[in-house]
Amino acid sequence: MKKILFCVTAAVLAVACTQQKQGIKTDESDYTKYVNPFIGTAFTGHTFPGATYPLGMIQAGPQTGNFSWAYCSGYFYEDSLIQGFTQNRLNGTGCVDLGDLLVQPFSGEKRDSFDSRFDKATEKASPGYYAVQLLDNEVNVEITASPHVAFHKYAFPKGKAANILADFQSGLVWQDARFHTHVLDNEVTFESDRVISGFTRRTEWVERIYYFVIEFDKPIVTKEELPKRSPLEKSSRYVLTFDMHNADTLNMKIGMSSASVEGAKANLAAEVPGWDFESVLQDAKKGWNSYLAKVKIEGSEDDKVNFYTSMYHLYIQPNNIADVDGKYTGPSRKVSQSPNGKYYSTWSQWDTFRAAFPMYTILTPELIPDFVNSMLDYSEQQGHLPIWSLWGQETYTMIGNHSVPMIVDAYLKGFTGFDAERAYNEIKKSITESKHYKSDWDIYDKFGYYPYDLIKVESVSRTLECGFDDYCMAVFAEKLGKTEDAAFFRKRADYYKNHYDKATNSMRPKDSKGKWLTPFDPYALAHADSNVGGHYTEGNALQYTWHVMQDIPGLIEWMGGKEKAGEVLDYLFNTEQESTGTLSDVTGLIGQYAHGNEPSHHVAYIYPYLDRPGETQRLVRKICTDFYKNKPDGLIGNDDCGQMSAWYMFSAMGFYPVNPVSGEFVLGAPQVTSASIDIGNGKWFTMEAKNLSKENLYVEKVELNGKPYGKRTITYKDIMDGSSLVFYMTSEVKK
């Protein structure tokens, strides 16, 4: 680990030096200097250090491995070889896809293997930039990106041939056998000695198509097609050799599109018309600063790095996959035209509805109408709202339909720019019509829960997750005056009570005859997508017992009151009994609380409902200190498209959306000395933590706008009105 920390420190220093050489400003207005893209690239964070643009289609960078869950992003910090550089990848997910169009530069003669050792001390990453020195291949690599274009810059030694392996068969897959069959169709056209174009249709997590155009600033003098590694392969690999004209640098631009080759060309022409690498890098840096500057944090250097890296991870996605002219390929698999020029996908809804989307509504409200319209456009093509969408296609990963709370949250917070009736109709259709294999609404409504003998896996979790969506729809219906629908969905939102077993103090599976599952192990971990089976989703009964975000007071009453509920909650955090079985997603344990996975994320904030806010304050400090660190293995679980990061951002500022559509945030304890959020129109929301220190982790009192504040929550309106929130910190728990 000392070696890893040294390398990261060296990389950060090297980036700073590089920025100075390139003339990039590193003054106080430059927040990218606080971003460490290597956080989460070890252990199970599944992040990556490549070059990307905020909400862009491109995530270009190194691939160090493939064929396993460890390589969901194609990169693991401790690896010693780079296989090549791909043009997109997922950020912090638990499934594998993307990793499209691998290229690998090398000097000299062709070799049997194109993998190369690399000098870890030269590996640099910052928002919009990646660089490394390939030792075996003798090439210095730099990469930057615009929204739809990857820009590669390769420095070769003079006197040696300059080559690139272009692998059109490559892509991230779960197993090595899939590598030969995941490409379904492919076309590669050498349009000239400087331009290659084509498309690839492939299937892994989803079936999708991407179009590309590759341009070089030097001519290709020879191209050699390599033998296929399997007769099942549909695509090709080429070794390209270039006439360098006595120069040592080769530049390459790769434009991508989900719609057409013409779209890829138009994206490239619009975003990167020339060959000025530094200009593209500066634009990417400016783009990132436009987001990062929305929050000004004061605290230690590690506090700033953790916060701004979290913010960076938050805005890597969702990805706008529409071309510059608004064309995209959605679930209909036909080219569609976005009326607003944007089409966002890669949502990870099951994760991001909890804190990431509420954070977007605060930091970037200007994005929300386009986000909502993208979900509605998707629904009209697919027949239901996106569950977990990737590049415009449905993965059907996870449970519930948590596009619902996102859309309802936007409506309740007063966002316009989308049709409320249209949104209502798409939500109602999505959660009442059984359009896919994870709905089964007739069973749900007949029994008031999903019986485990009829729904073989994840029955309890599905009931609880769907119940939150029902609550959201009930509130939406009430606001629109649809009283009959409101009553129907309110009834559904209470289905959680049918799973609570007072004998075991847990959410327990029940069969279609109303009988509890026996024998019953509340510690048993379950998850259908991991082939473990069972009745829960990436968790167990102890964790999912608290998954009633819409009605924490009601759950407490159902448990027998605050004292009894407190005993159950204390047991969750304090038990020393281990889980039955293991799951890679269930990490960051405090007792049986699992911070490395999303169903637990709101649970530490339940104590204020029990009149014990000091417990929340203590737990938040422990979670932030132990599970968010400025090092490659500094994330305790998958970042999950920014959700893990959004939890930290909220908690560092002192509050968290336990019920993500309530418009309220439960107060915890801040972890940074101050935070100022630019809410637009010249207004700022400010938070200050007076006397914050290692010892002073508890809150003595709170003031809002200079007046004593005794509520357990603040509202979205409080924040967006430009208020001042002050915490007075102490070393003693307030009685």
Side-chain angles (χ1 to χ4, degrees), residues 412-424:
L412 295 179
K413 286 175 177 172
F415 284 94
T416 58
F418 61 91
D419 186 317
E421 284 292 336
R422 178 191 182 210
Y424 185 87

Side-chain angles (χ1 to χ4, degrees), residues 35-39 41 46-54 58-63 73-75 84-91 123-131 142-145 150-152 281 284 288 312-313 316:
V35 175
N36 179 3
F38 292 103
I39 291 176
T41 58
H46 291 180
T47 61
F48 67 92
T52 189
Y53 193 93
I58 294 294
Q59 303 83 33
Q63 178 174 304
S73 73
Y75 179 93
F85 302 90
T86 57
Q87 314 317 310
N88 54 22
R89 73 263 334 275
L90 291 158
N91 170 43
E123 191 177 32
K124 311 165 191 176
S126 63
Y129 182 73
Y130 177 83
E142 292 182 273
I143 305 173
T144 189
F151 195 140
H152 297 237
L281 174 57
W288 277 110
Y312 168 73
H313 286 150
I316 290 175

